[in-house]
Amino acid sequence: MIGITLGRLSRTSNKKNIQIIPKNIEKEFFLAKKIGYDYIELHSDENKKCSLSLDENKCKNIQLLKKKYYIKTPTFTLAYIISNSLTSENVFLYLKKQISFFKSLDVKNIILPLFKKSNFKQTNLYFQKLKKIILFIQKNNMNAVIESNCNREEFRSIQKLSSKKIFFCFDIGNRISVTKNLQNDLKKFEKDMLILHIKNKNKFNKSVKLSKGLIDINKLLRKKNFKKVLLTFENMREYPLYQKNLSILKSYKKIIFDKAK
């Protein structure tokens, strides 16, 4: 399936925070359907001013939009842990409060972005807290998906925390800062990769337009088989290049589907 991160189809003049969740999320579902995407990846923004902490009303609204536009919500990125340390008890309490809402929205995959405050650490406390979170997610019949710039051996150490399979989310925009050969890096993780985040960055590690930056996305998408992977676009909200941005997204979708035929 091919999807897009919540908020990336909406206009915004705030270029400093492309993660902002729009007030009118119906437009996101409408445009995702218009372009032909299968799903929207939900996320709890690390910025409290634009956080998507779910409650009954928000869930009911999203459920209605899913039915109206035939758009799924199979993944949720727990971006809360980017600005709140994984070792804090607040992280587990937050997840515990949100888990019933994830279920009501048919979320099957919880992405754990191990960056900034929760950046990967090889300490007993870190592994203890990470294990607790992963086992809780799996106990609730969801997939735990690690998003990190860790290497293959470090990811294996995380996988040992559970007898059930722990998956990997490969973010090409983030990985370009730690490797010059994305193709080789992708190959190392392909057996465990469940989700691919598609965005582009420049040499200063700043997010840029999909068609710019260090990564040849066209070439990357053509060279790999992603039939069993959820492909999530995390494009820039390129206001005022709004219509042009939509056409770029359509072109990447065409590359993927044409190759699959």
Side-chain angles (χ1 to χ4, degrees), residues 175-260:
R175 297 296 296 190
I176 197 67
S177 65
V178 296
T179 179
K180 293 182 179 178
N181 195 327
L182 279 178
Q183 290 290 350
N184 284 350
D185 213 25
L186 273 169
K187 190 172 183 179
K188 292 176 184 177
F189 286 93
E190 63 183 354
K191 290 183 179 179
D192 300 301
M193 185 168 58
L194 182 65
I195 300 166
L196 182 73
H197 279 172
I198 302 170
K199 64 171 176 269
N200 217 334
K201 288 193 174 184
N202 61 20
K203 62 181 180 180
F204 303 108
N205 202 32
K206 298 292 184 182
S207 293
V208 294
K209 300 175 186 179
L210 289 173
S211 56
K212 305 294 182 180
L214 300 173
I215 307 164
D216 186 340
I217 297 178
N218 282 352
K219 184 178 179 182
L220 189 71
L221 293 178
R222 285 195 178 99
K223 280 200 169 187
K224 300 294 289 184
N225 187 342
F226 298 113
K227 287 182 179 179
K228 296 182 180 179
V229 178
L230 294 171
L231 302 172
T232 306
F233 283 90
E234 292 190 315
N235 59 291
M236 289 285 291
R237 293 158 72 155
E238 299 170 38
Y239 182 79
L241 300 176
Y242 186 60
Q243 292 301 326
K244 184 177 179 182
N245 192 31
L246 294 186
S247 67
I248 290 171
L249 287 168
K250 282 184 180 179
S251 71
Y252 286 131
K253 180 174 178 289
K254 188 173 184 296
I255 289 170
I256 296 164
F257 280 134
D258 282 356
K259 185 184 66 173

Side-chain angles (χ1 to χ4, degrees), residues 14-230:
N14 189 338
K15 295 181 179 179
K16 292 183 178 180
N17 193 341
I18 60 175
Q19 286 286 85
I20 287 177
I21 295 169
K23 293 180 180 178
N24 180 15
I25 65 169
E26 181 167 5
K27 195 167 187 178
E28 290 280 301
F29 281 81
F30 168 76
L31 290 171
K33 176 67 175 178
K34 182 178 179 181
I35 299 170
Y37 284 91
D38 305 301
Y39 69 89
I40 286 177
E41 183 175 287
L42 304 175
H43 60 92
S44 58
D45 198 295
E46 63 267 29
N47 186 335
K48 292 181 180 179
K49 293 181 179 179
C50 50
S51 175
L52 184 69
S53 288
L54 295 169
D55 55 34
E56 287 188 16
N57 289 332
K58 288 177 183 176
C59 283
K60 285 179 181 177
N61 183 39
I62 293 173
Q63 286 168 342
L64 289 172
L65 295 175
K66 287 175 65 175
K67 290 179 181 179
K68 183 176 180 179
Y69 296 106
Y70 301 98
I71 295 293
K72 299 177 181 180
T73 54
T75 59
F76 193 100
T77 299
L78 203 71
Y80 179 83
I81 67 175
I82 294 175
S83 58
N84 295 271
S85 175
L86 195 74
T87 57
S88 167
E89 192 61 27
N90 290 335
V91 169
F92 185 75
L93 292 175
Y94 176 84
L95 175 60
K96 198 172 180 180
K97 288 178 181 177
Q98 293 285 290
I99 201 77
S100 63
F101 300 126
F102 297 157
K103 289 181 178 179
S104 71
L105 294 175
D106 294 319
V107 171
K108 303 299 181 186
N109 311 295
I110 305 296
I111 301 174
L112 302 174
L114 305 184
F115 300 110
K116 295 183 179 179
K117 287 286 185 70
S118 295
N119 201 41
F120 178 77
K121 299 179 183 70
Q122 289 185 318
T123 66
N124 289 336
L125 179 60
Y126 185 90
F127 272 70
Q128 177 187 338
K129 297 294 185 178
L130 182 57
K131 180 178 181 177
K132 184 179 180 181
I133 290 169
I134 288 171
L135 294 181
F136 180 73
I137 291 170
Q138 293 176 336
K139 183 180 177 181
N140 282 276
N141 298 315
M142 299 178 191
N143 292 320
V145 187
I146 301 298
E147 181 181 4
S148 173
N149 280 341
C150 65
N151 60 41
R152 186 69 187 84
E153 292 305 313
E154 289 169 335
F155 178 61
R156 281 180 180 171
S157 67
I158 294 175
Q159 288 183 305
K160 293 177 182 177
L161 297 177
S162 173
S163 59
K164 294 183 180 179
K165 188 172 178 64
I166 298 172
F167 295 91
F168 195 75
C169 172
F170 194 103
D171 187 306
I172 65 173
N174 292 335
R175 297 296 296 190
I176 197 67
S177 65
V178 296
T179 179
K180 293 182 179 178
N181 195 327
L182 279 178
Q183 290 290 350
N184 284 350
D185 213 25
L186 273 169
K187 190 172 183 179
K188 292 176 184 177
F189 286 93
E190 63 183 354
K191 290 183 179 179
D192 300 301
M193 185 168 58
L194 182 65
I195 300 166
L196 182 73
H197 279 172
I198 302 170
K199 64 171 176 269
N200 217 334
K201 288 193 174 184
N202 61 20
K203 62 181 180 180
F204 303 108
N205 202 32
K206 298 292 184 182
S207 293
V208 294
K209 300 175 186 179
L210 289 173
S211 56
K212 305 294 182 180
L214 300 173
I215 307 164
D216 186 340
I217 297 178
N218 282 352
K219 184 178 179 182
L220 189 71
L221 293 178
R222 285 195 178 99
K223 280 200 169 187
K224 300 294 289 184
N225 187 342
F226 298 113
K227 287 182 179 179
K228 296 182 180 179
V229 178
L230 294 171

